[in-house]
């Protein structure tokens, strides 16, 4: 059965950090269209602090996710602190004690993350948030699990991208942009975009490892 | 971007260092670098007043720390909610056992972070109750108060809540009167020019020269309409037309009026706007008990003003008139 | 020009109407619409403190009217001296027989109008003595003090002179200590973006984006050099390099520091600059007794800051620390 | 001998007002180059107030000058209030009681105005102020008095223009611009320009009347 070692998973988080750093300005630009233009800055600051914390340390995936989550929750604030902090704390929790991360473990990680994000943020599909990336991603992943871990990851990544793109045509129902009504239509949602970048990065990293 | 910063990603840190140095007679830093507190907090037996929010709104939020007002503040990045941890640490710094009134503004990030901080506080047996400011009339219709943002009217909520706590009010009493203050406050903003977050480097929204955005938010959230730039008198009329029917404010009411600049609009012009606002209120038989004009709640170097009107009753009047000593608001009582 | 005015030629009139309404607890208008006075002026037996100058510098000048500071102010057009008549009327409003200390800034127009007003006062047996602020180090070499402009350091002169008068000082004592305050104060400004007089409609000077003008005056008078825009720390270093050797300020000195925004620079950034200023002073063994950061003396919506440093002795310290209640400066003494 | 009636002189002030109103923006622009950009505004405000005060009223030249002077001195402030206020109060004083304004009366008006302006402002030729217009204007007027009133006025006007133009090459020694040092060279002085406009207007009006 396809899987990779929790012990080898730190690089997944390292790649995540890289992808956020590279997209700092892009994400802020998107956020600027209908939000307040700080999404890339917030994300980059948190992920860069995490980078310092994990650099040179011997850590498994669980510990790396936990470090990322703690930084986001205690040092970043904004909307992303609680939302992505919750996401990664759940990923840490669900992988904890698992030596091997297989497709079922990852399913639990993703599903639990989404459940808790929804708990705190109260957003649903169609609200023009990162939920529009997450929910179809999980559905695609679960539907493709029979085809193997790697395939499921790839389908998750593709569904995340479609989900992200779907936000263009949506009117924001939650968060800052929701006050715009119709004026929020026609542009990507920043959170949905960063979420897609992260799911894609995780999928790419894991596919290489399984 | 003609601005004075060092590494723009650490503008808030640099600012806090200077802020604590200048105001050491009023406030101090704490173990959490993103939490400042009144130098005498926690005040024994007193309900702790806590607020917090993104940076870039000076004097809000930390500028309202001080005697008879706010006890501790959680400080966020520019235009971004403080962390849950910062709110939680602010609760701890302000708590003397009498409970915490967390009086903050209705933004998604702040809502989530306060919610998480309250869970942390629960585990340490700190009682926290909240009032969520939603005075910005232009941000949603009257029947969707849960969608309305908090803007400069928050100052009234802190002033009144802080005064009540200083007078020995219980947590429930403080919460009740702070809620009444914000329920009785209606605000609206008009934007004339955008602002730039230093780490972003360019404005994240535009206001075409020759136009103004009516109903703009404190972070440049778009308003209800874009109009040709009016005269000061017209701007005063547009703002009062939006605010007055919403309460509604009526003949015989006594009110407090706050015209706050958004950052780069000369104070001179704020008085010009105020002058017409008071004339309009007088025409309608509404009496101004007290007024404030100046940069009380800003958005970096945005141009424009917000207008906030608080309807008084006897209790609110006494609390508004109480002496206060903060960086952003000082008031003598003779 | 994204500004809120009515007829721009009457911006000062409109502003004054609003100003008097808002601050009726502190000050009142007088028969001369261009003269405002402290509500209790003339204070019996007290030396009257008078100042005046062009408009557009809020809170200066009228914002410093109040208890323990200024008694009457002559108000000019934007960036233009008040009339001789206005100065004269201000003398009359502030005079209780103990004489008038006219504490104003060194500008050609003000000099001429004060001179003419003093002639008028002489005819009515009002004794007027003057101190002419010249704290702006960048405006002329040290050996030409008569050419140096007065800038934000004037606030120290009013604070100290006002306190001395309130304590019962004679006219000569008030003049002497106000003169000492301004002699001990050195200031410099750095401009990052120009300002626009509403009736002119476009900026009357330019500062190229990416540059800053070191030594700029309060009306945009060009400075000593144009440089690439520096960081906040660099700006603090440039300003202290100009000011400190001029006094000179030395190890062991106790000082008051004022960083004033010029109008549109976010207060956040003023604290960032202040932070480095205090570090530099500490490195040199100079102790900050008290500091002020904010928009204390502005130039419409100019961007940039001024730095003013006052060297204290025991007398000045006592006067600086005294309680004060004006629109622009409120200070509690516990 | 050439002269005109004091009683008919109000139009001289009316024309002065018009010329200042027409040059409001021009004067502010010049002042903006090395001053603070308000010269035209200050002048226009004062002269327009004067316009209201004299409109429809039966006034002679003396009274019209006096009204203008009082407005400038009590309502305008700046540098122009005392300087031009002094100028016109002297012109009123020296014409007072004279039924006919002839070339000698006008000489006294001009000379006395200049003397008092110098008294209050302490500027001399070469300082880049309105003195650079006034002094050569008076000199030219006096030198040409033998050629008749009208000719003297025309030569005064021409000398005022040359005096005004001479300020271009000067470094300001007084007033706001003096702080610029060398940077004040190369542009007209605002006060010298308004002063030329006024002398020229006065000369034109008077020439028509004599
Ligand atoms: N309640 C919520 N649930 C899920 N996602 C949300 C919620 N509120 C905001 N978001 C996401 O947060 C993004 C904005 O993040 P960011 O710009 O960092 O924070 P802020 O809105 O505080 O400036 C939005 O694009 C949206 O995807
Ligand atoms: N001491 C003086 N003597 C003569 N003229 C002066 C003097 N000071 C200034 N001026 C004139 O005043 C003009 C500026 O006038 P204005 O712009 O109205 O006043 P301000 O300089 O107060 O803004 C200068 O161009 C100069 O000609
Ligand atoms: Mg954002
Ligand atoms: Mg934000
Ligand atoms: Mg001027
Ligand atoms: Mg000028």
């Amino acid at each position: 059965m396809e899987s990779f070692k929790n012990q080898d998973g730190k690089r997944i988080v390292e790649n995540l950090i890289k992808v956020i750093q590279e997209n700092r300005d892009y994400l802020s630009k998107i956020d600027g269209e209908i939000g307040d233009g700080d999404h890339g800055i917030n994300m980059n600051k948190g992920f860069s602090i995490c980078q310092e914390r994990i650099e040179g340390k011997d850590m498994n995936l669980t510990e790396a996710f936990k470090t990322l989550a703690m930084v986001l929750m205690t040092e970043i604030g904004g909307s992303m602190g609680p939302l992505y902090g919750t996401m990664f704390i759940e990923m840490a929790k669900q992988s904890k004690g698992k030596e091997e991360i297989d497709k079922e473990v990852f399913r639990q990680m993703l599903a639990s993350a989404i459940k808790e994000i929804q708990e705190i943020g109260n957003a649903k599909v169609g609200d023009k948030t990162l939920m529009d990336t997450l929910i179809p991603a999980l559905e695609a992943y679960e539907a493709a699990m029979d085809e193997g871990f790697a395939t499921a990851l790839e389908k998750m990544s593709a569904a995340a991208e479609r989900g992200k793109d779907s936000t263009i045509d949506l009117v924001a129902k939650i968060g800052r942009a929701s006050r715009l009504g119709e004026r929020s239509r026609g542009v990507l949602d920043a959170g949905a975009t960063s979420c897609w970048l992260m799911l894609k990065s995780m999928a790419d990293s894991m596919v290489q490892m399984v | 971007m003609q601005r004075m910063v060092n590494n723009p990603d650490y503008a808030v840190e640099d600012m806090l260092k200077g802020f604590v140095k200048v105001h050491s007679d009023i406030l101090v830093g704490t173990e959490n670098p993103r939490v400042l507190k009144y130098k005498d907090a926690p005040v024994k037996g007193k309900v702790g007043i806590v607020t917090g929010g993104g940076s870039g709104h000076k004097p809000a939020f930390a500028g309202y720390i001080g005697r008879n007002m706010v006890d501790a503040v959680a400080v966020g990045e520019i235009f971004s909610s403080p962390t849950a941890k910062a709110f939680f640490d602010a609760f701890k710094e302000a708590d003397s056992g009498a409970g915490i009134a967390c009086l903050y503004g209705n933004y998604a990030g702040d809502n989530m972070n306060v919610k998480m901080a309250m869970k942390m506080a629960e585990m340490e047996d700190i009682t926290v109750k909240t009032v969520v400011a939603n005075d910005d009339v232009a941000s949603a219709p009257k029947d969707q108060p849960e969608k309305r943002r908090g803007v400069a009217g928050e100052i009234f909520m802190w002033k009144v809540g802080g005064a009540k706590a200083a007078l020995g009010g219980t947590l429930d009493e403080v919460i009740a009167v702070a809620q009444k203050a914000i329920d009785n406050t209606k605000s609206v903003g008009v934007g004339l020019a955008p602002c730039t977050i230093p780490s972003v480097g360019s404005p994240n929204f535009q206001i075409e020269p020759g136009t103004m955005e009516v109903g703009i938010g404190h972070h440049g959230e778009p308003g209800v309409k874009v109009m040709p730039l009016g005269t000061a008198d017209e701007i005063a009329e547009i703002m009062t037309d939006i605010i007055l029917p919403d309460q509604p404010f009526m003949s015989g009411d006594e009110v407090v009026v706050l015209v706050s600049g958004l950052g780069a609009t000369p104070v001179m012009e704020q008085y010009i706007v105020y002058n017409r606002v008071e004339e309009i209120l007088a025409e309608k038989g509404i009496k101004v008990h007290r007024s404030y004009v100046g940069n009380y709640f800003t958005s970096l170097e945005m141009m424009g003003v917000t207008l906030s009107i608080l309807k008084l009753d006897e209790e609110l009047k006494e609390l508004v008139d109480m002496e206060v000593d903060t960086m952003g608001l000082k008031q003598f009582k003779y």
Side-chain angles (χ1 to χ4, degrees), chain A, chain B:
Chain A
M1 208 181 112
E2 297 168 308
S3 70
F4 62 89
K5 289 206 177 337
N6 195 331
Q7 197 51 47
D8 299 335
K10 186 184 159 200
R11 82 179 68 158
I12 296 169
V13 176
E14 287 165 343
N15 291 340
L16 265 184
I17 292 168
K18 216 182 307 164
V19 114
I20 291 301
Q21 289 172 334
E22 286 164 3
N23 286 281
R24 172 185 184 274
D25 293 342
Y26 174 61
L27 291 172
S28 280
K29 199 177 140 273
I30 297 176
D31 188 36
E33 311 249 4
I34 52 172
D36 60 357
D38 62 357
H39 187 61
I41 298 159
N42 296 341
M43 294 289 286
N44 177 64
K45 192 160 179 175
F47 281 64
S48 296
I49 293 173
C50 176
Q51 185 178 35
E52 287 170 29
R53 300 275 161 86
I54 67 174
E55 208 155 49
K57 292 212 183 100
D58 187 28
M59 271 186 180
N60 63 17
L61 179 64
T62 299
E63 288 157 345
F65 271 148
K66 190 176 158 200
T67 305
L68 180 57
M70 292 314 288
V71 167
L72 293 175
M73 288 208 288
T74 65
E75 307 193 36
I76 294 313
S79 304
M80 290 306 103
L83 291 169
Y84 282 144
T86 298
M87 171 158 158
F88 293 114
I89 201 76
E90 288 305 317
M91 292 210 168
K93 268 195 209 164
Q94 298 302 327
S95 60
K96 194 168 171 188
K98 306 282 193 295
E99 267 181 46
E100 292 287 324
I101 310 293
D102 61 21
K103 62 186 183 187
E104 177 50 28
V105 173
F106 185 70
R107 193 197 62 76
Q108 279 165 22
M109 289 164 66
L110 190 61
S112 171
I114 293 172
K115 184 167 157 287
E116 292 298 319
I117 290 176
Q118 195 146 31
E119 167 84 2
I120 185 159
N122 279 319
K124 50 189 192 318
V125 168
D127 285 350
K128 192 160 184 145
T129 72
L130 44 87
M131 299 310 283
D132 291 304
T133 299
L134 285 173
I135 305 251
L138 174 62
E139 281 168 7
Y141 180 83
E142 286 179 337
M145 275 175 81
D146 289 346
E147 301 166 50
F149 195 4
T151 309
L153 286 167
E154 277 155 4
K155 298 218 161 157
M156 171 189 84
S157 181
E161 180 163 14
R162 285 192 302 275
K164 175 266 293 187
D165 288 335
S166 77
T167 64
I168 294 183
D169 290 333
L170 294 173
V171 170
K173 298 251 167 51
I174 224 162
R176 271 184 224 294
S178 66
R179 278 83 183 214
L180 296 191
E182 274 302 322
R183 288 166 67 179
S184 67
R185 207 193 289 276
V187 291
L188 283 170
D189 175 63
T193 306
S194 63
C195 191
W196 159 63
L197 287 170
M198 294 198 296
L199 289 182
K200 176 173 162 29
S201 167
M202 280 195 259
D204 292 349
S205 305
M206 291 180 190
V207 165
Q208 286 195 351
M209 292 165 69
V210 297
Chain B
M1 187 188 58
Q2 294 300 85
R3 306 284 287 283
M4 301 186 304
V5 291
N6 298 311
N7 180 341
D9 286 349
Y10 291 88
V12 175
E13 278 75 8
D14 289 349
M15 179 268 289
L16 288 174
K17 277 188 236 162
F19 192 77
V20 170
K21 286 191 178 109
V22 173
H23 302 293
S24 58
D25 54 329
I26 293 182
L27 50 83
V28 292
T30 68
E31 251 176 71
N32 185 331
R34 289 308 185 92
V35 176
L36 303 184
K37 67 162 193 161
Y38 177 43
K39 68 178 185 346
D40 295 338
V43 179
K44 207 168 159 236
K46 190 182 85 72
V47 170
I49 307 289
V50 170
T51 189
S55 292
H57 301 297
K58 278 269 148 313
F61 297 82
Y64 295 106
I65 292 175
R67 185 164 60 91
N68 295 349
M69 210 156 165
V70 173
D71 291 292
V73 161
V75 179
E77 277 308 301
I78 295 180
F79 292 177
S80 186
S81 173
T83 62
K85 182 78 169 28
F87 275 112
F88 171 58
D89 287 341
F91 297 161
K92 282 199 294 188
E93 297 290 352
D95 184 48
S96 72
I100 295 294
C102 180
L103 314 177
Y104 71 101
N106 189 26
Y107 295 92
D110 295 315
N111 284 327
M112 287 189 276
N113 284 296
V114 169
K115 201 194 260 182
M116 290 175 76
M118 287 174 72
K119 280 188 197 164
M120 299 179 192
E122 216 183 302
M123 298 198 307
E124 303 215 5
D125 290 324
I126 301 175
T127 314
V128 180
K129 296 193 176 178
T130 62
V131 177
V132 187
N134 58 350
D135 50 309
D136 185 349
V137 166
S139 51
K142 198 174 164 68
D143 61 358
Q144 295 178 33
E146 76 288 353
K147 286 210 172 174
R148 285 187 171 178
R149 299 183 290 255
V151 286
E154 295 184 30
I155 296 167
F156 295 148
M157 169 177 77
W158 302 323
K159 174 78 185 75
V160 161
K164 187 76 190 181
L167 289 173
T170 64
L171 179 54
D172 284 334
E173 285 167 351
V174 169
I175 290 291
V177 81
Q179 185 70 56
K180 179 164 71 177
I182 206 70
D183 287 346
N184 280 12
T185 300
K186 305 297 153 181
S187 301
V188 68
V190 171
L192 270 63
C195 60
T196 294
I197 300 176
S199 52
V200 177
S202 57
N204 67 305
F205 63 101
Q206 296 298 335
I207 298 174
E208 285 306 312
T211 71
M212 61 183 181
E213 183 133 357
V214 176
I216 199 162
H218 263 158
H219 314 89
E221 297 93 337
V224 289
K225 58 185 165 192
V226 173
M227 295 176 66
L229 177 57
T231 64
D233 283 356
E234 284 163 4
I235 292 171
E237 283 150 24
I238 288 166
M239 292 198 295
T240 48
D241 279 351
I242 291 175
I243 286 183
L244 296 183
D246 194 88
Q247 181 74 22
F249 294 91
M250 286 178 304
S251 178
D253 285 353
E254 276 194 86
V255 298
V256 182
V257 180
L258 164 63
V259 171
S260 175
L262 287 174
T265 280
V267 177
M268 172 170 216
E269 293 165 29
Q270 300 169 31
Y271 282 103
I272 298 178
V273 170
Y274 176 82
N275 183 54
R276 182 67 192 133
V277 168
E278 187 171 320
E279 280 174 9
I280 293 168
L281 294 177
E283 286 159 16
K284 297 192 188 294
I286 299 166
K287 178 163 175 282
V288 178
H289 171 68
R290 189 182 268 283
S291 53
Y292 304 94
V293 173
N295 294 318
Y296 285 95
F297 202 128
T298 62
S299 302
L300 296 172
E301 86 294 10
M302 206 188 290
M303 281 195 150
V305 291
T306 56
L307 170 65
S308 302
I309 303 183
L310 161 63
K311 179 177 161 171
L312 292 173
D313 60 16
E314 282 312 309
E315 182 185 27
L316 292 174
K317 196 192 276 191
E318 186 198 339
L319 297 171
V320 161
D321 285 345
M322 198 168 161
E323 190 160 285
V324 65
D325 186 12
T326 69
M327 167 250 166
L329 184 65
K330 288 186 204 285
Q331 204 165 285
F332 284 88
K333 174 101 187 184
Y334 298 107

